[in-house]
Amino acid sequence: MAKVLSLGEILLRLSPPQYQTLIQANQLDCQFGGSELNVLATLAQLGHDVSLISVIPDNDLGRMTEQFLFSKQIGQEFIIKKGDRLGLYFYQKGFSIRSSRVTYDRKYSAFWESRLTDFDFVAVFKDVDWFHVSGITPALTEELYSITEFLMKKAQSLGVKVSFDLNFRASLWDSFQQARQKLSSLIRFANVCVGIEPIVLEGESKDLKDELGLARPYCDEMLLLHIVKEIANKYQLESIAFTQRESTHTNEYQLKAFLFQNGTLYKTEKTGIQVLDRVGTGDAFTAGLIHGLLSKGQPQLALETAMACFKFKHTIEGDINVVTTHDIEQLLYSNSHEIKR
Amino acid sequence: MAKVLSLGEILLRLSPPQYQTLIQANQLDCQFGGSELNVLATLAQLGHDVSLISVIPDNDLGRMTEQFLFSKQIGQEFIIKKGDRLGLYFYQKGFSIRSSRVTYDRKYSAFWESRLTDFDFVAVFKDVDWFHVSGITPALTEELYSITEFLMKKAQSLGVKVSFDLNFRASLWDSFQQARQKLSSLIRFANVCVGIEPIVLEGESKDLKDELGLARPYCDEMLLLHIVKEIANKYQLESIAFTQRESTHTNEYQLKAFLFQNGTLYKTEKTGIQVLDRVGTGDAFTAGLIHGLLSKGQPQLALETAMACFKFKHTIEGDINVVTTHDIEQLLYSNSHEIKR
Amino acid sequence: MAKVLSLGEILLRLSPPQYQTLIQANQLDCQFGGSELNVLATLAQLGHDVSLISVIPDNDLGRMTEQFLFSKQIGQEFIIKKGDRLGLYFYQKGFSIRSSRVTYDRKYSAFWESRLTDFDFVAVFKDVDWFHVSGITPALTEELYSITEFLMKKAQSLGVKVSFDLNFRASLWDSFQQARQKLSSLIRFANVCVGIEPIVLEGESKDLKDELGLARPYCDEMLLLHIVKEIANKYQLESIAFTQRESTHTNEYQLKAFLFQNGTLYKTEKTGIQVLDRVGTGDAFTAGLIHGLLSKGQPQLALETAMACFKFKHTIEGDINVVTTHDIEQLLYSNSHEIKR
Amino acid sequence: MAKVLSLGEILLRLSPPQYQTLIQANQLDCQFGGSELNVLATLAQLGHDVSLISVIPDNDLGRMTEQFLFSKQIGQEFIIKKGDRLGLYFYQKGFSIRSSRVTYDRKYSAFWESRLTDFDFVAVFKDVDWFHVSGITPALTEELYSITEFLMKKAQSLGVKVSFDLNFRASLWDSFQQARQKLSSLIRFANVCVGIEPIVLEGESKDLKDELGLARPYCDEMLLLHIVKEIANKYQLESIAFTQRESTHTNEYQLKAFLFQNGTLYKTEKTGIQVLDRVGTGDAFTAGLIHGLLSKGQPQLALETAMACFKFKHTIEGDINVVTTHDIEQLLYSNSHEIKR
Amino acid sequence: MAKVLSLGEILLRLSPPQYQTLIQANQLDCQFGGSELNVLATLAQLGHDVSLISVIPDNDLGRMTEQFLFSKQIGQEFIIKKGDRLGLYFYQKGFSIRSSRVTYDRKYSAFWESRLTDFDFVAVFKDVDWFHVSGITPALTEELYSITEFLMKKAQSLGVKVSFDLNFRASLWDSFQQARQKLSSLIRFANVCVGIEPIVLEGESKDLKDELGLARPYCDEMLLLHIVKEIANKYQLESIAFTQRESTHTNEYQLKAFLFQNGTLYKTEKTGIQVLDRVGTGDAFTAGLIHGLLSKGQPQLALETAMACFKFKHTIEGDINVVTTHDIEQLLYSNSHEIKR
Amino acid sequence: MAKVLSLGEILLRLSPPQYQTLIQANQLDCQFGGSELNVLATLAQLGHDVSLISVIPDNDLGRMTEQFLFSKQIGQEFIIKKGDRLGLYFYQKGFSIRSSRVTYDRKYSAFWESRLTDFDFVAVFKDVDWFHVSGITPALTEELYSITEFLMKKAQSLGVKVSFDLNFRASLWDSFQQARQKLSSLIRFANVCVGIEPIVLEGESKDLKDELGLARPYCDEMLLLHIVKEIANKYQLESIAFTQRESTHTNEYQLKAFLFQNGTLYKTEKTGIQVLDRVGTGDAFTAGLIHGLLSKGQPQLALETAMACFKFKHTIEGDINVVTTHDIEQLLYSNSHEIKR
């Protein structure tokens, strides 16, 4: 199996039980999450050797975090203990037409305040096969932008595969325009890009999809192919992968996923899913994709594996997927969801 | 914002957690409810100044009730502490084809035993813009029927707008016929009537809808318009509003709402909703309607506001809505239910 | 009402709350179950006098079991206390496309180790109207196979009606072939058979449905009728009843049920249901069927009663149904699932 | 083992979890209790055949009550289903210097409203060895006073042993004086009296203990003996038993118990106990006493058995004791409280 | 009743249920606390009209805070909504020899970042009888130190009584020495000082108690009197009040309290208490003291009232006391902690 | 830090929440335990590199166990996945005079059925500093006795330090006499023995303490010294350590510990402790002892370290200690148990 490294923040997620609102709650479920962490946790469960570059505070919450990392088999050789805040977020799970809501409280966290000089990156990519980053970390501070860029470049120069999940979060950027500019500058250091927004394409002044009239769900697949080809060319990407969710008034989605490689746009069937927890599903997709690409099989199989992880995570409570290769295979090769006994 | 007054009982709701039956339960979730209280609570959250006329016992349960009223910003200047029973009800939440069940235990409560002479109603409508009552209170005792009538008449004579939610509960009346006679006698003191059953129309001996063949869901809108016109004329009503729910075997409804004003029957689109808690949704509709009518905009907007409150409450656990004007606006002007972060 | 006897194991069911996986759990809901127990519990709630032949350990878990049996009004005159293991199973409830999973831990239990000589069966069928067994007990050990056969034969010889629910559990048998042979040998001692698989039909070497191309859902009802006729003839059965479940990606089923009697295949409408707990629904069907057949009415009514129990159990948490004759009647004769208050 | 009958109300107890106050609670633990019920439940666990004369409502709460009675093996042949209220009480558990608080809500319950003519008492004492009543039932209504008196007299006339637990509850009587008069009139129909207050003794105008200067804890045992002798003589009692609790600010008591028989005052050692739930401890004492007296051994052993039940119940949550004869023996004959494994 | 104003931060307290450690927890109880808030909440329950000067974020957590303030009847006319962090703290409750632990996460909170210019303090003391502050607020930032000083001076100049609870928290100061200097500078603007450490006395270079050899528990009451006299003189204080806690290895304390007024040192008996929640007990003492001093009775009664609040809070879970004047009176005038029914 | 290896079973512990009995429970807290596992878990938290030789089933429970081992940093290189039962035990926590009760269900578990040939022990002690076993494993089966003996001998021959905790469990042996004979045969392969019972001493026919009149608590320290000297000589032990618990009726103990080395009997002060969870306290003592002995300091310090772990574990819920070196130091060098903030 492969050695996968990532950079990202570990957040404590605090959420009212069931479908309560914060105003109704007097207990909060607590667990850990964070986009890159979620990707690594799934990869570890699928058998890979994973490590996270991060900073956690040197207090009881830091110790709580360490035990969590141990339990998920996430290597801590690049975890620094420093500062006194663990980033956290409050998550109010929606129901039907009531949207889920995330309130971040991650500013000034130990990770937020980290500087390049805090780390020893000399041998950081030793034996590493894959390096994964998301667009969240560079959105946090200028310094973290630089650290992200530094590591992506270094990985690229060492021949380590780099995946970059754009992961646009409106509340972390000043403007969509700013996100587009800054994220686009990083894409060129990646081999695999997850997501197609927000990305700068030559000559456009607004977002790509608006410019070219690309609407979600992606019905115009010719246009879609045209756009991803442009992106791949402009940013020299080996693969571009992305998902599509359609929802109605129910706690249900129609899911679909796409993978562009060597001029071909692979796609899955549209499949329905009921949602237990929506958070971390994109990360599960990315983990499945990395797992699939690492196994060097057919692109379609890599995409289906990513899709299986993606679907499965919708049925698991919490940020972190709980999945085995056996679960993935069952989804890939069987249609029965009957009780197993 | 307006000052809204209501009259009604505060009930302690005891319900098995999740979808347990009473026989399975060894804990009961406890919270407060009551039709008029629910209406006021939503109005307070939408910015109005609200007060309830009620009676609560002078014991630990009364104190528990007071704190609840404070937390929901419901004015207590007309709350009397007297007697020793707080009315309560057991609520067993249904699932799919298994119906929800309410077992009332409100007889002989402090409110049930209240008499007109317990209250000082001299200045009760001072500065009040709107007075709301429901058909539940006059169903409880003869005395409460008189108090309801007394206050409706007084409000009417002082030019305070009066809304009356028929709120028929089979178990509180001797017969449907009795309910129809007694509720109809009160409608004439209202400006706004919520619901169209049970109402006496000239010459009929059975229920209006049977007489004229009005079936639910209301497909024959011509007939519907004819009937509500008749009601409005006979009872001199400014507005008549009502909702319609269609359900299948799932925990899902198709909702629609109607508002009759000045000869026109306004209606909403039919929209689907998954149900977290069905109780109090009618009260949320009424609150939204009062809020809409108080803002003196277009009837259609008032109706859509009522519909938004109605829909939203289906996704909130408990009798009491947890909603902000921001939530209402989001439902009125946006279609996305995606996670907000 | 009738006196119904059964033979079977009582299992402690341990399941993570809600939709957690075992890996996520730090509490387990605990309750009792077991196919035959479930059948008896429903019959007791419908007014019958029921008893179970079983073995429970003589320790705190045995005492816990006794209290449970008392609470469900299951007669204990044939419960033996011996040995030190209560069989148990871990049940991980699935969600949407994630399957439910049962991990049995019933080997070497007090019941598992029971021998014919442990029991006094001299007067076991005194006043008994109906004897029910399932294919689970004979799957456990050779000795339990013999005990099952002994009791079925004895019941048959005494004119006690015998129902046999095939209840195939892959993990309890060496092979499907083995199950087919051994279960088929027992069917001849039954009057009523629940299920049509796995049953040996003349000349076949694989499973019945494969042989004749019978596919689920049963669209080819002519073929279905042909097959059940063959089974009834070969095994001299009065009745054969079975259900059919179709599921999609949601927590929802389309249910249908069949009853073959005197050459006619009765069937229900297909009806949708949302699932709260899938376990024990087949047992509820069987209980409803026995209840229906005992009341000696029309076969169609017996089948509809079985179907009502079957549907209802899908909405009840746990192995054991919580149902009254009133609930059954409501499902048989009403279509409204509105809140009852 | 003996057949024991009692008369009394079944109450639903609703209590905030742990040491929360009602104002803090949003869930309430629910379980059943009632003094006479508690006595019977313990006796059933010690092997006796017990039945309760009572009235429960004919609704979902009544059904919940029935299942509870089944689970505790309390015979229901004299349980009438009628009316629509189950009596209940709210119990706020105290901690250290904060007292526990009971808020009764039992007025107008099905039992409260019962009348002598509701019951068929013709063969009520058939095969009955012991009849137990407490001072709570006659305190509720005049009619229940009459029913209690009627049954005590009838039992006495038939040679059934009668125990009477005075069980004074201030909130159920108009005055202490009233309680004293009315309870004393009933004592003469009992063989065994539990408690020594409030009892009328010749010539006194205030309470016995005040009159004669008897102070708790009972240090002056000569005076105590004198008083119980007087009581026994005046009311023709075979046995008088009572307990003594001393508490400090902690959740801890010093317990002691006394039994007067044939001129001798038997007593136990004082023993310390930590309190998990104080409710129902007196009832456990009474049950242990009846059990002890029924086994016709030495008075001291009967008293020690009562004391063991009494102590043990302090360590069990809820109204109802959970105890076996083995537990009692362990307390009687061993001093080690070490973990049993 | 009086109008009481305070200045202070509202914190969200997150604590593992029961006696779990953070590492064991997967749910956290959540509630609000903060020293000055706690004082006001108790005063409101004792009938006073209270308001808090504070800053809360303008997000879902802010809205959650508002509802909490409403429920506790704490006036919000000086609550500003601004910024995006609510201060919070993690509280791990200790047991026996394992200490409780507080991990603050309040840096950069909305309150922390507040500036004098955020507030409109023109009429802040209108109708105010009492102003209370604690040593926590001035420890947070230089700006908050200035705001505290500004308000204390302004109150003093307007004749509003000022109480100052020193409330030393080691983790909020650079050094004990720094705390001593800065807190002492504020004492002169107070009428009532709660606590006697850390306070500068002429010529000393270390802490008062060390300098003069004052040891806890305070056995040398002559020395104690000497010291408090010195403090009162130097800082021109009307009253100095303080408590003393002695603990052993158990969850139990010996409590005592002192009040110095007009040259006399009043003191209470030492009383034992078992501890349910240790947090907020000092604040309850202060609230009781303010309540006592406002009622202008004997100093000893004021002290006993403070002591009753202090004791009572040890038995209540959470930061906030749940107490009534009736509870206080019961503690002042009765010794029985028996169940009230 | 050292590398520590152990051999032992991992059990799933199922316990009713709080102080419920099994009969009252409908949820069970679940967590992992086992004497040797508990020792290793504490050692890992104190910084050592630990591994367990064990067998877990190859199913969902096995996977649950693996994640647990990861979270506690217990090396799995000698964990074999085989079989289908995870041993488990039900634990009913006692209160005051009600004893805690353990019901084992570990027979036929994957570990129980393990054979020497299942393991590859060629390089099992590579780099290992310390090997720990307890008297539980050899009590389970003859084969496990042999495996224990084999490993102890092998460790001894390789110069690895061996500790042996006698850990007598009555229910695992046929008789005390059998335990004594079989355990004594193993002691000679250990360097450190924890516990002094049951051990054979020359010529005795009953238990050592009875023979020589050694009573607990150990008041006669001369006799105690004599006995441990005899044991040390006979079995060639470097160290003998043991604890002493005295309890009354309360949830409280007086603890004391002893360590014999080089002819000297070191002992601690007696200290009181309140008990949150009694299970695993002996294992915490052993872990502290090994930690202390590994650090090669003064025997008294090693003993005090063991005592600190021992005390601390009484305040932690579950089998597994949650402790840091910082916690130990705080207990060793400070007397204050005040809240840390």
Side-chain angles (χ1 to χ4, degrees), chain C residues 1 19 32 42 47 49 53 56 68 73 107 174 176 181 187 212 232 235 237 253 280 300 302:
Chain C
M1 286 284 146
Y19 296 101
F32 292 90
T42 293
D49 179 3
I53 303 167
I56 59 175
F68 162 76
Q73 293 175 261
K107 227 167 150 180
D174 294 341
F176 186 82
Q181 293 300 337
I187 299 174
L212 296 171
Y235 295 100
L237 291 163
Y253 287 115
Q300 185 67 37

Side-chain angles (χ1 to χ4, degrees), chain D residues 307-325:
Chain D
M307 180 69 169
C309 281
F310 183 47
K311 283 196 294 186
F312 198 79
K313 174 60 192 71
H314 283 84
T315 75
I316 298 285
E317 185 77 40
D319 265 54
I320 303 287
N321 212 353
V322 177
V323 68
T324 63
T325 47

Side-chain angles (χ1 to χ4, degrees), chain C residues 12 14 17 22-23 25-30 59-61 63-64 67 84-86 88 90 92 101 103-105 107-108 113, chain F residues 12 14 17 22-23 25-30 59-61 63-64 67 84-86 88 90 92 101 103-105 107-108 113:
Chain C
L12 185 67
L14 296 165
L22 274 170
I23 275 180
N26 56 8
Q27 273 203 320
L28 299 175
D29 293 330
C30 71
N59 60 17
D60 281 357
L61 289 164
R63 275 182 282 287
M64 199 181 168
Q67 166 155 313
D84 45 33
R85 279 216 72 209
L86 184 71
L88 44 90
F90 294 86
Q92 204 168 276
R101 278 150 81 155
T103 306
Y104 284 122
D105 182 11
K107 227 167 150 180
Y108 307 115
E113 297 195 327
Chain F
L12 185 67
L14 296 164
L22 274 170
I23 276 182
N26 56 8
Q27 274 203 321
L28 299 175
D29 293 329
C30 72
N59 60 17
D60 281 357
L61 289 163
R63 275 183 281 287
M64 197 182 169
Q67 166 155 311
D84 44 35
R85 278 216 74 209
L86 185 70
L88 44 89
F90 295 86
Q92 200 170 281
R101 277 149 82 156
T103 305
Y104 283 122
D105 182 13
K107 227 167 150 178
Y108 307 116
E113 295 194 328

